[in-house]
Amino acid sequence: MSVQSNDNGRLRIENELMAALNGDNLKNAMDFIAYMKASGMTPHAEHYSAFEYEGKWVCIIIIMDIDGAPGWVVFDNPLTKLDDFPLDEQFAHLKDFAWASAHVCGKCGCGSQPGQKKLIFGKEFDNICTSEAAFWNPDAAAVKNMISMIDIWKENGATVLPD
């Protein structure tokens, strides 16, 4: 099992984000982590940069080079795993956000190439990776949308996803 936090109470991923990022990228990443912790998300036992909720996978955060600079990516959002989950008019904008973030399978190292056909909020995509969504250097608006999607998932059936 990996070490999840240090003596200052920060999660290992927080320390790594603080060492790698700066400016808005760092602020957005730390805001997202703060939400995850405050919402009852816990680090996954085997993946220190991944979060789960009541034993269900939520997302994983990866620090990587993006366009020649250190960046961060959030892979997965549990709501996108519910193929045609209905979003009411108030949250319809989240469909476009999720569709724009559909993670087409590439050379990410997941070992599942090629991807599969996948429905995301009723729209069919080809060659989608095992991580249905990828949010690259999410800005404050994207973090807000990611949080909204996680909140909707929690409120409407967080238990419907497999372990």
Side-chain angles (χ1 to χ4, degrees), residues 31-42 51 58-59 61 150:
D31 287 350
F32 185 69
I33 297 288
Y35 159 80
M36 297 298 279
K37 290 167 58 175
S39 296
M41 309 293 165
T42 57
F51 288 88
V58 178
C59 66
I61 299 167
I150 293 170

Side-chain angles (χ1 to χ4, degrees), residues 56-120:
K56 307 296 181 197
W57 183 271
V58 178
C59 66
I60 188 166
I61 299 167
I62 304 294
I63 299 168
M64 63 182 359
D65 184 65
I66 300 174
D67 297 327
W72 67 299
V73 184
V74 178
F75 289 104
D76 287 331
N77 186 295
L79 196 57
T80 63
K81 294 182 183 301
L82 305 178
D83 298 339
D84 56 357
F85 187 86
L87 289 172
D88 62 27
E89 287 300 311
Q90 176 185 4
F91 297 109
H93 70 283
L94 294 177
K95 286 183 182 181
D96 291 329
F97 175 71
W99 293 338
S101 302
H103 186 212
V104 175
C105 198
K107 296 182 180 175
C108 66
C110 73
S112 298
Q113 294 84 7
Q116 301 176 4
K117 277 192 185 215
K118 175 73 178 156
L119 273 180
I120 299 175

Side-chain angles (χ1 to χ4, degrees), residues 142-155:
V143 168
K144 182 178 177 184
N145 284 338
M146 292 163 30
I147 288 170
S148 291
M149 291 171 69
I150 293 170
D151 283 344
I152 291 168
W153 169 73
K154 281 177 56 182
E155 293 168 9

